Amino acid sequence: MNFTIPYCVFWNATERDWSDEGCAIVKSTNGNQTFCQCEHLTSFSVLFAKEDISTEILDIITYVGLGVSICCLVVFLFIEYLVWGAVVKSNLSLYRHTSIVNIATFLLLGDISFLASEDGIGETMCFTLTVCKHLFFLIMFSWMMCLSVMLVHQLIFVFSPLRKRVFMFFSSIVGYVCPILIVGCSYMYSKYTEKEYFNNKTCWLVFERLLEGSIHAFLLPVAGVIMTNVFSLIVVIVTLVKSSAPEGDDKEAIKGIIKVVILLTPVFGLTWIIGFALLILDSGNPMFAVANYAFTILNSFQGLFLFITGCFADKKVRDEVLKLIMSKTTGNDGTVTSKTNTKDK
């Protein structure tokens, strides 16, 4: 009882939910008693939280991070549109940029759907946003897997390059068709078993217990993608160690490994591993708060990391952006255009 927090509430028949409006605790909990005072007559109850559910700081981090991510993703997609013709001259570049553009697009749509999911928006809208988030995030993870598998294929089968038609066909199946089937089947299963597909307060999937609840139609596919991407990252690192640095040049090899991990971790969505740790850790564990903040920061700012990885860390994209900037600030003859030149003319 020392670790619970009481809430005096009444049943709001109109909203079909508990509400604390007009109700308050008039005396602190004394042993096993809680004294409430309400200004109206209806059905009353005392709700107990196992811990402090206030997460104002995490909410601020989430909204700031998602705002920054959305802006970065919009800028990134605009840059990709401008430099697309110049950076996809080889099949490998086409595969990579196609995957990253899909990842960025559906991460952007998922973030927007998340921000739009406010409490009290209505059941139909809440259901629509739940389906959108479920679908958009699954498509995002599916394209992450397409990118990682393509990278491993290119590393292992150096002399058997992946044909464009084959990549686009299988990527479309994995990236679009499979997520649509997963979302559709999970909804139909919920209807068939007469279980809730979504939570009307959170506008997200339902967790009942282990392997029960619609949330597993998201968790299990994401877990499979993350395992595949971890394996891909290990293959990349092992290949890099074997082929890049000569004997005695361990420093360069370490630098290369660190660079690969930093660049591929956000693109492969490996920061979501912390989310699975949150499902395992007990809320009383000191590491739970650390993991909670780490998960919130890393994944709300994922759009920023993707922008840095796909734009600033890509030399071809960086060079093309610089060319575009220089072409806007200089004339065809190489002289800088200015208002003075216009006046002289």
Side-chain angles (χ1 to χ4, degrees), residues 180-253:
I180 292 172
L181 289 176
I182 291 172
V183 173
C185 290
S186 64
Y187 174 70
M188 294 303 296
Y189 177 79
S190 298
K191 295 290 287 184
Y192 177 76
T193 56
E194 297 182 350
K195 293 183 177 181
E196 293 291 333
Y197 171 72
F198 72 105
N199 187 317
N200 199 32
K201 290 184 71 67
T202 60
C203 295
W204 186 230
L205 305 174
V206 177
F207 175 81
E208 296 177 12
R209 52 183 168 271
L210 186 63
L211 297 180
E212 284 193 28
S214 58
I215 189 67
H216 292 89
F218 177 76
L219 294 179
L220 295 179
V222 169
V225 171
I226 287 177
M227 288 176 62
T228 303
N229 292 353
V230 168
F231 171 77
S232 301
L233 187 62
I234 292 171
V235 171
V236 172
I237 292 172
V238 170
T239 306
L240 183 66
V241 170
K242 286 183 177 180
S243 62
S244 63
E247 293 185 13
D249 197 9
D250 293 334
K251 186 182 290 186
E252 290 302 316

Side-chain angles (χ1 to χ4, degrees), residues 2 12 28 46 48 89 141-142 154 173 179 201 204 228 230 234 246 294 298:
N2 294 330
N12 189 323
S28 59
V46 179
F48 281 87
K89 293 181 178 179
F141 277 105
S142 298
Q154 294 300 119
I173 297 295
K201 290 184 71 67
W204 186 230
T228 303
V230 168
I234 292 171
L298 290 174

Side-chain angles (χ1 to χ4, degrees), residues 27-41:
K27 191 185 294 184
S28 59
T29 304
N30 180 17
N32 63 346
Q33 295 179 332
T34 298
F35 297 89
C36 299
Q37 180 178 348
C38 293
E39 299 173 350
H40 42 70
L41 296 175

Side-chain angles (χ1 to χ4, degrees), residues 4 8 11 42 62 68-69 89 109 114-115 143 153 169 197 206 224 232 236 246 268 291 298 341:
T4 57
C8 296
W11 180 253
T42 183
T62 299
V68 171
S69 290
K89 293 181 178 179
L109 294 174
F114 183 88
L115 287 178
W143 276 98
H153 181 277
F169 175 76
Y197 171 72
V206 177
S232 301
V236 172
F268 284 178
L298 290 174
N341 293 340

Side-chain angles (χ1 to χ4, degrees), residues 313-332:
D314 191 315
K315 189 176 184 304
K316 286 185 179 180
V317 174
R318 196 168 62 243
D319 291 344
E320 289 301 319
V321 170
L322 288 173
K323 285 181 183 178
L324 288 173
I325 294 173
M326 294 300 294
S327 66
K328 295 294 183 181
T329 57
T330 60
N332 294 330

Side-chain angles (χ1 to χ4, degrees), residues 18-289:
W18 294 108
S19 173
D20 61 357
E21 185 178 353
C23 293
I25 299 174
V26 295
K27 191 185 294 184
S28 59
T29 304
N30 180 17
N32 63 346
Q33 295 179 332
T34 298
F35 297 89
C36 299
Q37 180 178 348
C38 293
E39 299 173 350
H40 42 70
L41 296 175
T42 183
S43 299
F44 302 100
S45 182
V46 179
L47 305 183
F48 281 87
K50 293 182 180 179
E51 60 191 44
D52 187 0
I53 59 173
S54 175
T55 55
E56 186 176 352
I57 297 175
L58 285 176
D59 288 343
I60 293 172
I61 294 172
T62 299
Y63 288 122
V64 171
L66 289 179
V68 171
S69 290
I70 288 172
C71 293
C72 289
L73 289 170
V74 170
V75 173
F76 172 71
L77 290 173
F78 181 68
I79 290 174
E80 282 287 330
Y81 170 76
L82 292 177
V83 304
W84 183 266
V87 298
V88 295
K89 293 181 178 179
S90 67
N91 282 350
L92 186 60
S93 296
L94 175 64
Y95 304 155
R96 180 177 179 275
H97 284 276
T98 299
S99 299
I100 292 181
V101 165
N102 275 279
I103 293 168
T105 300
F106 288 100
L107 176 59
L108 174 62
L109 294 174
D111 286 348
I112 293 172
S113 300
F114 183 88
L115 287 178
S117 303
E118 292 290 338
D119 188 18
I121 59 174
E123 187 173 351
T124 303
M125 190 63 181
C126 189
F127 166 74
T128 303
L129 290 172
T130 302
V131 172
C132 287
K133 286 185 287 185
H134 192 186
L135 179 62
F136 294 154
F137 285 126
L138 281 183
I139 292 176
M140 179 192 74
F141 277 105
S142 298
W143 276 98
M144 287 177 177
M145 186 171 68
C146 291
L147 178 61
S148 66
V149 171
M150 181 273 296
L151 182 60
V152 170
H153 181 277
Q154 294 300 119
L155 287 172
I156 296 175
F157 303 101
V158 179
F159 301 105
S160 299
L162 193 62
R163 288 185 296 173
K164 183 166 70 173
R165 184 180 298 177
V166 174
F167 173 80
M168 296 306 296
F169 175 76
F170 282 105
S171 294
S172 298
I173 297 295
V174 174
Y176 301 128
V177 178
C178 289
I180 292 172
L181 289 176
I182 291 172
V183 173
C185 290
S186 64
Y187 174 70
M188 294 303 296
Y189 177 79
S190 298
K191 295 290 287 184
Y192 177 76
T193 56
E194 297 182 350
K195 293 183 177 181
E196 293 291 333
Y197 171 72
F198 72 105
N199 187 317
N200 199 32
K201 290 184 71 67
T202 60
C203 295
W204 186 230
L205 305 174
V206 177
F207 175 81
E208 296 177 12
R209 52 183 168 271
L210 186 63
L211 297 180
E212 284 193 28
S214 58
I215 189 67
H216 292 89
F218 177 76
L219 294 179
L220 295 179
V222 169
V225 171
I226 287 177
M227 288 176 62
T228 303
N229 292 353
V230 168
F231 171 77
S232 301
L233 187 62
I234 292 171
V235 171
V236 172
I237 292 172
V238 170
T239 306
L240 183 66
V241 170
K242 286 183 177 180
S243 62
S244 63
E247 293 185 13
D249 197 9
D250 293 334
K251 186 182 290 186
E252 290 302 316
I254 292 171
K255 284 182 180 179
I257 292 170
I258 292 173
K259 183 180 178 182
V260 165
V261 171
I262 291 173
L263 293 182
L264 294 186
T265 294
V267 175
F268 284 178
L270 301 184
T271 53
W272 283 69
I273 293 175
I274 304 172
F276 288 94
L278 286 171
L279 298 175
I280 300 171
L281 290 172
D282 186 79
S283 58
N285 191 317
M287 290 302 298
F288 181 84

